[in-house]
Amino acid sequence: MIEYALKIIMKNGMEGIVKEDNIKNKQVRFYNGRIGIIKEWDDKTMNIFMAKGSKTVSIELDNPSKRKIEETIEKNKKLMKLLSSSEFYGIEKNKKYKNNKIFDKDVLKNEKMISIAEESINYGGKAGIVFSSINKTIIANTNGIMEKDKNSLCYLSVRSFYKNSSCHEVSCSRSIKNVDAGVTSVAHEMAKKGIKAKKGKEGRYNVIFSPLAFANLISNVATFYSAFYVDAGYSFLTEKIGEKVASEKISIYDSGIAEDGMASSKFDDEGIATQKTTIIKNGILKNYIHNSTTAHKYKTRSTGNAGIVAPQPWNTIVLHGNSNFDEMVDEIKEGILITNLWYTRFHNYRAGDFSSVARDVAFYIKNGEMIPIKNIRVSDNMERILKNVEMLSKETKQIFWWEVENPVFTPYAMVRDVRITTS
Amino acid sequence: MQDMAEYALNISKADYTEIRIEKVFEQGIAFVNGEFKGIESNERKGFSIRIIKDNAMGFYFSNDFRKAKIKEGIEKAIKMAVTRKRHKINLSEEKMEEGEDIVKGKEESIDKKIDYLKDIDKIASGYSRSIFYNDELMEKYYANSEGARIYSKLPRISLHYLITVSNGRVEQMSREFGNSGGWEMVKEWNVVEHIKHDINFLKKLIKEGKKAPRKGSVILSPYITGLIAHESCGHPFEADRIMGREAAQAGKSFVKPSFIGKKYADENVSIVDDPTIKKSYGYYKYDDEGVKARRRYLIKNGIVNEFLHNRETAYEMGVKSNSAARASYGKEPIVRMANTYFMPGSYTLEEMIEDIKEGVYMKTYVEWNIDDRRYNQKYVGEEAYIIKNGEINGIAYHPVIEITTPKLYNSIDAVGNELKFYPATCGKGDPMQGIPVTTGGVNLRLREARIK
């Protein structure tokens, strides 16, 4: 099919990319300590990008026949005549593919997924999901690329409740073998510690963010370093290449080639090889992520992050530090531990002002003692948060769940003088 | 569509079977800082099967329309349902509908759409701006083993912009427009006037914005009260949240089943969720379980009247479904809102202002959030004004209301008489299901609120 589509595009004297995805997803969903529903998706889609000069069209088709492909290209060829020119300067030449990522054909096995869910329930998981996916992809473009890839992922996202307290944990990997239901017992024990929580007090605190909480903030930063969103006014990183935007302890990478990165992929939506790109190095903003079009505009090379229109992050990696959680607790003397965040919303994307609600158990820490608190919110500025990072743990964890839609590998982070507000 | 659906129902050996066949054509156009970013189109056609076998539920989706695939889907869904010890699932008994719902919308050629967007873009030239336009036509055939047979055809159209004005300080305004219907709706949006207004306001905000008083009465416009109705009444009244089905994702609810008949708000407050409003972004005539849509009175004169139910939660709570089952393309139907709003009262805006010694009038917001139990919420004003001695007295610089739900709903001492609606996309479910809704309402006045 893919050769057929590309042949028609070339016959019409156009540049183009055709990508076919064959995705099988499965989910075991549990709540109130029992499995409620098992769901499966079997999805085959074709993405066609066509360009004539600087006039471009992108089309996504569900499971098309040859006739449908022919009709669609013909229809869109006519439509292109009516279009204005858009920013398109051709698809960049490719680099060499790197591919050492894990692939596990067993991620979709019913019994294995159900076992993880049941084990998690036994550990005290009240509600959650086990989600698995296999995506077999083939891409071809008019630069002569024709390449296949296959990707797998599996993750457990679980919330444990104890009386009025709760804690959330995830276990994420490209292989089902690495998904550990045991994280549920960690969540359960933390939830137990959270009972009798009192309302938190407003002020500025040194805050320890767990990987789940810090990943929420960093996944937002990941969108902001896409050159498209920079141009569109959605980024506090605008016009800051080469400037200090974070503490020198912070180095952040985008990687499409991480061995166990859930978003790792051999190529991007233009067929260009993915890579590891330095975004922030010791606090200095080094790069945005690019597709061929934004790279041309910024006079640089594609970073292998297409999105045809908007470059998209793969896996975001926050470089670990030398500390550990206990040392952070000792260091801050008085502060707050936030185990999870959600609903991070910006009131000014360009300035980076935002707030985010502490979901699940949080603790006020004083001289090593941890006192449960509730109803608090981080109301601060993203650049200030990054600049005030003082400690990072050695241990990092891959986070991916409902609230963190781009995978983030992150350590615990201790941030100085975070503004906390309450209702 | 019908043939495939009947085939599925005929071969299924489940106790209950439903099939939803959807065909969607979507088109998106983006302009960033005057640059046309091309066109993206999606043509999707798939079927979703949900079955119940021995009180256990299974779901299967595919976009492969061969009969063999439908058979495979049903068998897989049954196999998935009966694997292990599970929740016992039952559906409430309802009148199953047969009918159709066809909404017509004016079509427009692509070059006219682009011309329109260019015209809008020109108004904001000189400022950083992005404009995203989207339209879709959705055809759906729903059938289940209890006799429901529903065909619907629904066009939707929407536009979103973000404008950035910098002058020493950087300020941003974003707005969304959207309706069920076609190109005829664009005229009603008055986008050009909104952009002009927003640019002027942002300039003034940078120049003249003053700190709001720390305490006082707060008037919230329908732009904000709609969001409030959605977030801290609609969501906590979703029965699946109350029962814990969404606990690991969209969250739980501080509302308990025992709240029915109890006080939730000041007695002058009534809130409804109504899918039957024509042209609204959240419009539908039949829900995704074959139940005819009706208005839901969530709060009546301050008292909790009913929750939002699909057939599963209705059975669990021993009530009837109130047609709140909705599904995104290829996803399971779950409890959702449609058009949620505060019912009008008797106050004009002028009457509300004239009684205030010191306070704030918040007309639009830029940031908001709420915890997953829907108890602690925050709204940051964008276009906002200081009120002093019954008069507007300058622009307030980003006043913040951070307040609990009981405090907010019981502080309302005046309800406005002018009803307005705004479109939004509500997120829930796992995998995430974004679904079009309308938030709306009237001006509300809160007495003695803490302002930050």
Side-chain angles (χ1 to χ4, degrees):
Chain A
M1 276 308 175
I2 199 160
E3 290 98 333
Y4 184 73
L6 197 69
K7 207 170 131 188
I8 303 175
I9 291 170
M10 290 171 88
K11 208 169 114 187
N12 282 287
M14 295 187 285
E15 276 188 272
I17 307 161
V18 186
K19 184 167 172 261
E20 202 171 65
D21 288 291
N22 202 332
I23 306 168
K24 287 187 195 305
N25 293 334
K26 201 176 278 182
Q27 184 190 74
V28 178
R29 182 174 180 141
F30 55 98
Y31 52 95
N32 295 330
R34 281 187 164 207
I35 292 171
I37 184 167
I38 301 178
K39 301 183 267 187
E40 185 171 332
W41 294 265
D42 188 351
D43 209 1
K44 195 171 176 182
T45 58
M46 178 179 276
N47 283 277
I48 300 172
F49 171 77
M50 311 185 325
K52 183 98 178 171
S54 57
K55 293 186 174 185
T56 65
V57 178
S58 302
I59 314 125
E60 185 178 319
L61 295 172
D62 257 11
N63 201 18
S65 61
K66 279 188 172 178
R67 196 172 145 206
K68 182 73 189 169
I69 292 169
E70 219 172 294
E71 278 172 14
T72 303
I73 293 176
E74 191 55 34
K75 190 174 104 184
N76 281 281
K77 197 180 85 183
K78 285 180 189 158
L79 184 143
M80 283 167 87
K81 289 181 183 158
L82 302 172
L83 298 183
S84 308
S85 293
S86 61
E87 278 190 311
F88 178 69
Y89 312 100
I91 306 155
E92 267 191 24
K93 283 192 180 153
N94 192 29
K95 297 160 278 187
K96 201 176 168 196
Y97 294 114
K98 289 179 190 163
N99 190 20
N100 63 344
K101 53 193 160 55
I102 297 167
F103 178 78
D104 179 2
K105 63 178 176 18
D106 291 340
V107 289
L108 291 171
K109 289 208 166 152
N110 265 1
E111 281 305 306
K112 290 192 176 186
M113 292 178 70
I114 290 169
S115 292
I116 292 169
E118 287 181 340
E119 210 182 323
S120 177
I121 290 166
N122 290 338
Y123 277 123
K126 195 80 169 172
I129 55 146
V130 180
F131 183 92
S132 289
S133 178
I134 286 186
N135 181 6
K136 291 183 179 167
T137 308
I138 178 163
I139 196 161
N141 70 25
T142 45
N143 281 356
I145 281 172
M146 173 74 78
E147 192 69 24
K148 285 183 182 171
D149 192 19
K150 57 183 182 180
N151 294 292
S152 62
L153 64 86
C154 179
Y155 71 100
L156 164 72
S157 170
V158 59
R159 200 171 184 201
S160 188
F161 290 86
Y162 192 82
K163 298 183 178 170
N164 280 331
S165 172
S166 64
C167 187
H168 203 113
E169 273 293 346
V170 296
S171 179
C172 311
S173 177
R174 295 177 66 89
S175 170
I176 197 163
K177 289 177 211 142
N178 299 331
V179 175
D180 177 14
V183 297
T184 314
S185 60
V186 177
H188 192 61
E189 290 308 309
M190 283 299 272
K192 274 184 178 173
K193 290 178 187 166
I195 57 169
K196 294 183 182 169
K198 289 184 179 156
K199 191 181 161 189
K201 286 183 186 162
E202 294 198 348
R204 287 204 173 267
Y205 295 89
N206 295 333
V207 171
I208 300 171
F209 292 98
S210 76
L212 202 69
F214 203 55
N216 184 299
L217 302 181
I218 296 298
S219 68
N220 279 281
V221 175
T223 309
F224 293 152
Y225 55 67
S226 163
F228 177 87
Y229 293 106
V230 168
D231 286 350
Y234 285 90
S235 178
F236 68 94
L237 298 172
T238 304
E239 294 173 3
K240 287 185 181 161
I241 294 280
E243 288 184 21
K244 186 174 165 64
V245 295
S247 146
E248 62 184 23
K249 296 190 187 311
I250 286 281
S251 292
I252 294 176
Y253 305 90
D254 175 81
S255 176
I257 55 171
E259 190 184 4
D260 197 25
M262 292 174 76
S264 291
S265 171
K266 205 195 273 188
F267 43 76
D268 69 5
D269 284 355
E270 294 178 328
I272 308 269
T274 59
Q275 61 181 45
K276 185 175 178 182
T277 304
T278 305
I279 306 300
I280 297 172
K281 178 81 176 169
N282 299 330
I284 307 296
L285 180 65
K286 296 288 184 185
N287 291 295
Y288 301 134
I289 52 174
H290 290 286
N291 57 20
S292 295
T293 303
T294 63
H296 183 273
K297 189 175 175 190
Y298 279 79
K299 297 185 173 60
T300 182
R301 298 290 308 274
S302 167
T303 54
N305 288 87
I308 302 286
V309 175
Q312 301 294 340
W314 297 113
N315 307 285
T316 303
I317 299 170
V318 181
L319 192 67
H320 64 84
N322 297 315
S323 181
N324 64 43
F325 175 73
D326 291 337
E327 286 169 5
M328 288 181 184
V329 172
D330 286 347
E331 178 67 27
I332 68 173
K333 305 277 189 277
E334 185 182 3
I336 285 175
L337 165 65
I338 292 177
T339 65
N340 197 7
L341 286 171
W342 97 318
Y343 272 36
T344 299
R345 297 282 189 272
F346 285 77
H347 94 235
N348 191 324
Y349 297 99
R350 279 288 299 277
D353 298 329
F354 78 101
S355 71
S356 185
V357 180
R359 166 166 157 151
D360 299 305
V361 62
F363 296 92
Y364 169 70
I365 302 169
K366 190 159 189 188
N367 298 325
E369 193 189 354
M370 299 200 1
I371 301 152
I373 53 170
K374 60 183 180 183
N375 300 349
I376 62 167
R377 181 178 270 113
V378 174
S379 297
D380 213 310
N381 174 280
M382 195 60 84
E383 192 169 330
R384 188 162 52 230
I385 294 260
L386 291 178
K387 281 180 172 167
N388 283 2
V389 171
E390 286 211 334
M391 296 172 89
L392 294 166
S393 68
K394 276 181 209 153
E395 174 202 354
T396 65
K397 188 170 177 177
Q398 180 169 207
I399 305 293
F400 181 74
W401 73 289
W402 204 76
E403 268 285 308
V404 178
E405 292 173 325
N406 308 312
V408 178
F409 290 77
T410 178
Y412 281 88
M414 197 278 271
V415 184
R416 188 170 32 84
D417 291 337
V418 177
R419 186 168 167 250
I420 298 292
T421 60
T422 64
S423 296
Chain B
M1 281 180 164
Q2 287 91 331
D3 290 353
M4 295 306 251
E6 294 305 330
Y7 171 74
L9 296 178
N10 283 335
I11 61 165
S12 176
K13 291 187 173 65
D15 303 326
Y16 169 84
T17 306
E18 68 180 24
I19 180 162
R20 208 173 67 242
I21 298 171
E22 292 160 294
K23 192 177 166 188
V24 185
F25 179 73
E26 258 184 298
Q27 202 164 54
I29 308 170
F31 271 81
V32 173
N33 299 325
E35 288 162 359
F36 174 57
K37 294 286 178 185
I39 289 185
E40 288 189 313
S41 308
N42 288 331
E43 271 188 75
R44 296 180 292 174
K45 189 179 176 189
F47 67 89
S48 301
I49 287 167
R50 191 172 65 146
I51 64 95
I52 298 176
K53 176 82 174 166
D54 299 334
N55 297 107
M57 195 177 264
F59 175 90
Y60 179 84
F61 166 85
S62 175
N63 54 16
D64 182 342
F65 263 85
R66 288 171 297 153
K67 277 188 173 174
K69 203 72 186 173
I70 290 181
K71 188 166 180 279
E72 184 190 324
I74 287 174
E75 285 167 0
K76 277 190 170 176
I78 291 173
K79 198 177 160 202
M80 284 188 283
V82 296
T83 18
R84 294 279 168 95
K85 199 176 161 192
R86 307 273 290 275
H87 272 288
K88 279 192 101 175
I89 290 166
N90 290 286
L91 304 179
S92 61
E93 280 188 26
E94 306 292 342
K95 182 177 180 291
M96 290 290 99
E97 297 290 331
E98 287 185 66
E100 61 176 29
D101 181 27
I102 298 173
V103 176
K104 288 186 180 152
K106 191 183 165 199
E107 289 183 26
E108 189 51 276
S109 65
I110 195 73
D111 49 334
K112 293 269 170 59
K113 288 176 190 171
I114 291 171
D115 286 347
Y116 167 74
L117 294 171
K118 273 184 186 167
D119 288 345
I120 291 176
D121 181 77
K122 265 184 209 156
I123 305 294
S125 63
Y127 302 94
S128 171
R129 73 271 185 202
S130 47
I131 300 168
F132 302 95
Y133 166 86
N134 208 73
D135 57 41
E136 67 167 41
L137 178 63
M138 188 205 56
E139 269 186 276
K140 182 160 64 179
Y141 186 74
Y142 174 87
N144 70 23
S145 53
E146 295 180 359
R149 300 287 185 276
I150 296 159
Y151 172 74
S152 58
K153 194 171 179 179
L154 183 65
R156 284 198 186 96
I157 183 166
S158 64
L159 185 142
H160 170 252
Y161 69 70
L162 175 76
I163 307 266
T164 305
V165 173
S166 328
N167 187 5
R169 244 177 7 213
V170 178
E171 292 294 338
Q172 296 187 306
M173 184 83 86
S174 70
R175 280 187 196 267
E176 195 176 350
F177 308 83
N179 288 91
S180 291
W183 191 253
E184 73 281 359
M185 299 312 306
V186 169
K187 275 186 204 154
E188 296 185 19
W189 294 345
N190 297 321
V191 178
V192 168
E193 285 70 28
H194 278 294
I195 291 181
K196 283 180 185 167
H197 171 88
D198 289 346
I199 290 170
N200 283 333
F201 176 78
L202 292 176
K203 283 193 216 164
K204 277 188 183 173
L205 176 65
I206 290 169
K207 216 170 155 186
E208 300 167 21
K210 293 187 285 191
K211 204 160 173 52
R214 301 284 290 173
K215 205 172 177 187
S217 291
V218 176
I219 299 172
L220 302 167
S221 81
Y223 194 81
I224 302 163
T225 60
L227 181 66
I228 291 170
H230 179 93
E231 297 298 337
S232 53
C233 176
H235 274 311
F237 279 41
E238 290 164 343
D240 56 345
R241 273 176 188 274
I242 296 169
M243 308 298 278
R245 197 182 193 272
E246 280 282 326
Q249 297 89 11
K252 291 185 86 174
S253 174
F254 80 97
V255 171
K256 306 274 178 265
S258 60
F259 279 32
I260 293 283
K262 304 267 169 63
K263 188 173 186 288
Y264 193 86
D266 192 279
E267 64 183 3
N268 56 22
V269 173
S270 293
I271 296 178
V272 297
D273 182 59
D274 188 355
T276 67
I277 300 169
K278 297 267 168 71
K279 296 184 185 176
S280 68
Y281 204 39
Y283 166 81
Y284 59 91
K285 189 174 174 184
Y286 303 100
D287 81 353
D288 285 323
E289 289 184 329
V291 178
K292 190 162 188 187
R294 71 159 172 90
R295 174 192 265 196
R296 283 82 64 143
Y297 242 107
L298 304 180
I299 296 176
K300 206 177 241 180
N301 303 325
I303 305 296
V304 177
N305 185 63
E306 62 181 317
F307 300 138
L308 292 164
H309 285 287
N310 62 6
R311 294 182 65 193
E312 185 184 339
T313 62
Y315 181 89
E316 279 191 64
M317 285 198 188
V319 296
K320 288 282 189 186
S321 163
N322 48 21
S323 62
R326 297 181 73 186
S328 295
Y329 175 81
K331 307 278 168 46
E332 62 165 334
I334 54 173
V335 177
R336 305 305 297 260
M337 282 172 266
N339 307 301
T340 319
Y341 60 97
F342 282 87
M343 296 287 280
S346 58
Y347 278 78
T348 64
L349 178 61
E350 292 71 29
E351 285 167 343
M352 284 184 174
I353 292 173
E354 70 189 16
D355 284 356
I356 296 176
K357 197 174 170 198
E358 192 167 52
V360 166
Y361 168 37
M362 273 167 64
K363 215 172 164 187
T364 65
Y365 63 86
V366 273
E367 175 204 324
W368 64 275
N369 49 30
I370 186 164
D371 66 1
D372 78 289
R373 294 169 64 239
R374 309 282 151 178
Y375 193 79
N376 294 295
Q377 56 215 287
K378 176 187 179 185
Y379 306 95
V380 180
E382 178 66 332
E383 183 174 354
Y385 300 92
I386 294 167
I387 302 171
K388 199 156 190 185
N389 298 324
E391 287 181 347
I392 297 287
N393 186 29
I395 294 171
Y397 188 72
H398 295 311
V400 177
I401 305 293
E402 209 169 344
I403 191 167
T404 66
T405 302
K407 171 86 175 144
L408 193 162
Y409 282 76
N410 287 286
S411 302
I412 298 167
D413 74 347
V415 177
N417 58 7
E418 196 186 352
L419 186 59
K420 286 182 182 171
F421 293 111
Y422 299 92
T425 301
C426 174
K428 192 181 166 185
D430 194 349
M432 173 64 86
Q433 299 194 39
I435 212 149
V437 296
T438 301
T439 68
V442 292
N443 289 310
L444 295 176
R445 188 175 65 194
L446 312 183
R447 62 183 166 268
E448 289 304 298
R450 190 164 66 116
I451 305 162
K452 296 179 183 176

